[in-house]
Amino acid sequence: MKTMNWINITLAILVGILVILYLIILPIAKHRSIRKSQEDMDKFFNSLNKGDQVVLLSGVVGTIENIGKHYINLKVAENSTIKVDKHGIASKLKNKTNTK
C-alpha cells in the first residue's frame, strides 16, 4: 500500500511540474518568436527607400515615391500613384524592372 502511495504522489508531482513548464515555457518561447518576426518586419520596412520597386500582397508592382509613417505612395503607372499601407508590401524587387 505504501508503495502505491509513493508512486501516486511521485506521478502527481511529475504531472504538476510538466503542466507548470507547459504553461510557463511555451508562452515565453512563443513570445520570443513573435518578437523576432516583428524585428525582421521592422528592419524590412526601415530598409525601404524612395525609388525602390516593391510587390504588394495583391501582386501590384510599383515604385515608391513617398514614405510616411504608416503609408507609402506607390507609382504603378505613368501619372498613376496609389497610397498603400506598409504592411501590404510583400517584397522588394532586387532588379529594377519597367513597370509600364
Side-chain angles (χ1 to χ4, degrees), residues 1 3-4 8 19 23 27 34 41 51 61 63 68 78 84 91 98:
M1 270 311 222
T3 311
M4 278 304 264
N8 289 339
V19 167
L23 294 175
I34 291 170
M41 275 185 18
V61 178
T63 304
E78 199 64 37
V84 296
S91 65
N98 194 357

Side-chain angles (χ1 to χ4, degrees), residues 12-63:
I13 291 172
L14 184 61
V15 168
I17 290 172
L18 290 175
V19 167
I20 290 171
L21 288 175
Y22 179 78
L23 294 175
I24 293 174
I25 300 299
L26 201 61
I28 290 172
K30 188 175 182 181
H31 177 70
R32 286 184 180 176
S33 174
I34 291 170
R35 188 175 61 210
K36 174 77 170 119
S37 296
Q38 183 66 39
E39 288 172 358
D40 291 344
M41 275 185 18
D42 290 341
K43 285 179 187 177
F44 172 71
F45 292 136
N46 289 333
S47 74
L48 295 174
N49 295 311
K50 183 178 178 178
D52 287 345
Q53 286 194 321
V54 294
V55 178
L56 300 180
L57 292 171
S58 62
V60 174
V61 178
T63 304

